């Protein structure tokens, strides 16, 4: 069994990269960040040797709970390993879509409890409550950004840094996270298709964007029909 890497997990690092430390807002759409958080959990579990990705499916390779309780809870939502490998597992794309919100809420709550993030409650139009999560007194977001920048300058030399870069790109965070190294963002985009957790995120992001475009086009067509009636 591969020992878990000390320090923050990929979901933690991704979340801290994704949030504006002053305003507490994500740099991408909330739903896209949810997908990326689920993808980051899969990437971390793969690095620890607990899951594998085969032909678009996630399969549990080591059913023992990882030491991190959040990863353990998310891994329990995956189908247990079966004797028939062709029928065991779940598609990475569907699991990312289903588990994204849970993954984000779990990690945000955990980082708030540890003082890494703050939770500020505000109200939209004075009525509907919503939350912002700026950096807290125990934040290590600066260190996470420095490590990401160093990995970017080095061309993302290891699997962990490549996985994080691919997830950043898949969620559309790269314009806000990349330090502008030459060819870095195209390289990050190329990694998305190479690493299956990030590709599952990317496919869900693209699906949402396509659905939104379709609704907008239908609305425009309806407006034109109404005016012409």
């Amino acid at each position: 069994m591969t020992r878990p890497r000390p320090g923050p997990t990929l979901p933690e690092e991704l979340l801290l990269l994704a949030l504006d430390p002053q305003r507490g807002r994500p740099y991408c759409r909330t739903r896209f960040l949810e997908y990326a958080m689920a993808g980051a959990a899969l990437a971390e579990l793969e690095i620890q040797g607990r899951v594998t990705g085969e032909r678009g499916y996630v399969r549990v390779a080591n059913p023992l709970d990882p030491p991190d309780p959040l990863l353990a809870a998310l891994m329990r939502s995956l189908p247990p390993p079966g004797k028939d490998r062709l029928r065991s597992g779940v598609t990475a794309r569907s699991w990312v879509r289903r588990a994204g919100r849970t993954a984000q809420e779990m990690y945000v709550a955990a980082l708030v409890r540890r003082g890494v993030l703050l939770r500020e409650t505000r109200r939209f139009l004075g009525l509907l409550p919503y939350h912002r999560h700026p950096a807290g007194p125990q934040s290590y977001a600066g260190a996470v950004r420095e490590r990401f920048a160093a990995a970017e300058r080095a061309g993302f030399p290891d699997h962990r840094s490549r996985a994080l870069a691919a997830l950043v790109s898949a969620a559309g965070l790269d314009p806000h996270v990349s330090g502008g190294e030459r060819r870095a963002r195209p390289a990050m985009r190329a990694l998305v298709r190479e690493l299956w957790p990030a590709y599952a995120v990317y496919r869900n992001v693209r699906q949402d964007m396509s659905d939104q475009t379709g609704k907008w086009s239908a609305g425009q067509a309806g407006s034109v029909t109404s005016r012409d009636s």
Side-chain angles (χ1 to χ4, degrees), residues 156 162 164-175 178 183-195 198-199 202 206:
F156 303 112
R162 288 194 294 273
L164 185 56
L167 291 161
V168 163
S169 182
L173 290 164
D174 45 318
S178 173
R183 295 189 298 275
R185 287 174 62 185
M188 291 165 66
R189 288 194 293 270
L191 288 171
V192 171
R193 292 185 178 273
E194 295 178 16
L195 302 175
Y199 189 57
Y202 171 80
R206 296 299 299 177

Side-chain angles (χ1 to χ4, degrees), residues 23-24 37-38 46 71 76 83 99 112 147 180 192 195 197 204 218:
R23 302 175 68 190
M37 290 296 293
E46 183 191 36
L71 286 174
R76 289 188 209 110
K83 294 182 180 179
V112 168
R147 283 197 297 272
V192 171
L195 302 175
N204 279 297

Side-chain angles (χ1 to χ4, degrees), residues 1 4-5 51 58 71 78 96 114 116 129-130 134 139 145 147 149 160 162 165-166 180 184 190 199 207 215 225-226:
M1 181 178 67
R5 179 187 174 96
V51 303
V58 187
L71 286 174
L78 292 166
V96 161
R114 288 160 50 191
V116 178
Y130 65 96
S139 178
R145 285 184 173 272
R147 283 197 297 272
R160 176 173 289 271
R162 288 194 294 273
Y199 189 57
Q207 178 182 330
K215 290 177 181 178
T225 302
S226 292

Side-chain angles (χ1 to χ4, degrees), residues 4 9 11-12 41 44-45 48 50 65-77 102-103 106-107 110 113-114:
T9 60
E12 292 171 346
E44 182 69 42
L45 289 168
Q48 294 187 18
R50 299 178 186 278
D65 282 350
D68 180 83
L70 303 184
L71 286 174
L74 290 169
M75 196 174 84
R76 289 188 209 110
S77 72
T102 298
M106 287 170 56
Y107 277 96
R113 287 194 298 270
R114 288 160 50 191

